[in-house]
Amino acid sequence: MGPELVAAVRRFNRTVTQRVGALDDEYMASGRPLAQARLLWEISPAGAEVAALRARLGLDSGYLSRLLRALENDGLVTVAPADQVGCDARVRVAALTEAGRAEWAALDERSDEFASSILTPLSEQSREQLVEAMAQVERLLVASMVVIEPCPPGDPRARACVRAYARDIARRFDGGFDPALSKPVHDEELVPPAGVFLLATLNSEPVGCGAVKLHPDAPAEIKRVWVADTVRGLGIGRRMLCDLERYAHERGWTTVRLDTNRSLTEAIAMYRSTGYREIEPYNDEHFAHHWFEKDLTAGAGAA
């Protein structure tokens, strides 16, 4: 990427941090800095598990503990083991005290007032433009936060993604989906050197997956590409496909192929737009209607 792009992002960051008051000693006259105010907001009157707060806000354990301790010392928050029947005693939950709920409500009101103060000086057209631009920036920032990396197929997060994948295609396929009728994919086929399973996560939560099988003396085969509804439309599927192609190409495979169901129209469009060509059936997959192949020597991962 060019230096002008990096400079533009840095300039945008400076403008936003100044406009939202991130540099102030007190955030929105709350008497506490932005980090504490944001944590208080995330805990909310419903309470939250400490581990979930850490993942959601991307904070390390030490810093989160210091923030929670500051809120506890001010009488706004309590942190204790979860008291649900049968819950793991190691699970800690942060909850707002009565004073904490009152400050949360005040923060909520001031947040509305602050948002209005940004919009008020602008014309109606400019307000709509700003809100639309903010929505687009938010979507792209979320996309940039998604991490795709190898994961053992037996990992609980990988299992959860495969179950979600099966539920999704069962809902979309004509006549549903029965795993017993589909060609099996075994765990040992998705670990190096036989292949790989990639997991996409957002704030440590699984939001997508994909796998590639590296068949000896045959094209590599892409399997189980799935993206959660929460991040669809952000290009995560293309990134996953690109990473799987690159993985196969870097290990010496020059061709990759896959099969898919006619109901998955978005996936079919993605395959065609990223260089896949339709071929004759190469397997007897019960649920497949289309078979595709791509030449990786033309530039794997260029999607």
Side-chain angles (χ1 to χ4, degrees):
M1 67 186 74
E4 67 281 359
L5 295 179
V6 174
V9 171
R10 292 182 60 183
R11 184 168 59 251
F12 176 82
N13 289 343
R14 290 193 297 271
T15 300
V16 170
T17 53
Q18 180 179 357
R19 186 64 182 91
V20 302
L23 305 179
D24 299 341
D25 291 336
E26 297 183 8
Y27 181 62
M28 291 193 297
S30 63
R32 61 189 70 259
L34 173 58
Q36 290 183 20
R38 175 63 189 277
L39 179 57
L40 185 76
W41 170 262
E42 291 291 343
I43 294 171
S44 81
E49 292 184 6
V50 172
L53 291 169
R54 183 170 62 247
R56 193 184 312 157
L57 296 174
L59 302 176
D60 68 66
S61 299
Y63 184 45
L64 177 60
S65 295
R66 291 193 294 274
L67 291 175
L68 286 170
R69 193 176 307 117
L71 296 176
E72 283 186 290
N73 291 339
D74 288 344
L76 304 178
V77 169
T78 61
V79 179
D83 59 0
Q84 291 91 341
V85 175
C87 184
D88 190 333
R90 294 170 296 179
V91 175
R92 296 191 306 148
V93 172
L96 300 182
T97 63
E98 184 176 350
R101 288 192 293 272
E103 182 159 330
W104 187 94
L107 179 62
D108 185 41
E109 183 177 354
R110 284 195 295 268
S111 296
D112 281 346
E113 293 172 352
F114 179 70
S116 296
S117 74
I118 293 176
L119 297 170
T120 297
L122 304 176
S123 67
E124 189 65 32
Q125 181 180 6
S126 294
R127 291 172 188 170
E128 293 179 0
Q129 290 176 337
L130 178 59
V131 171
E132 290 174 2
M134 285 177 165
Q136 178 68 356
V137 168
E138 181 184 12
R139 286 173 58 80
L140 294 175
L141 286 176
V142 169
S144 74
M145 293 163 61
V146 173
V147 176
I148 300 176
E149 57 190 355
C151 177
D155 186 288
R157 299 171 301 166
R159 296 286 196 224
C161 274
V162 172
R163 289 194 297 270
Y165 161 82
R167 289 193 300 269
D168 195 11
I169 60 177
R171 176 178 56 85
R172 301 188 63 181
F173 285 6
D174 296 334
F177 172 71
D178 182 355
L181 299 178
S182 182
K183 295 183 73 66
V185 180
H186 303 291
D187 283 358
E188 58 268 23
E189 297 177 291
L190 305 181
V191 294
V196 72
F197 185 96
L198 298 184
L199 182 72
T201 57
L202 176 61
N203 296 327
S204 300
E205 293 297 317
V207 294
C209 64
V212 63
K213 297 164 64 174
L214 303 179
H215 299 295
D217 303 319
E221 185 178 15
I222 289 176
K223 305 292 292 184
R224 292 177 171 172
V225 175
W226 172 80
V227 176
D229 289 340
T230 53
V231 294
R232 282 195 181 150
L234 301 182
I236 307 305
R238 283 179 178 255
R239 278 180 57 192
M240 179 68 70
L241 189 62
C242 176
D243 286 357
L244 292 170
E245 292 170 4
R246 184 181 299 112
Y247 186 92
H249 189 243
E250 289 176 348
R251 283 152 185 80
W253 270 256
T254 59
T255 307
V256 65
R257 61 189 180 186
L258 55 87
D259 62 68
T260 191
N261 185 278
R262 63 189 170 206
S263 300
L264 303 181
T265 54
E266 303 95 332
I268 292 171
M270 178 179 69
Y271 300 142
R272 287 176 171 155
S273 68
T274 53
Y276 284 79
R277 63 180 184 87
E278 195 151 3
I279 59 174
E280 292 297 317
Y282 64 84
N283 62 20
D284 58 354
E285 168 58 49
H286 178 79
F287 295 99
H289 301 106
H290 299 275
W291 291 259
F292 289 96
E293 186 174 273
K294 182 176 181 178
D295 177 10
L296 298 182
T297 61

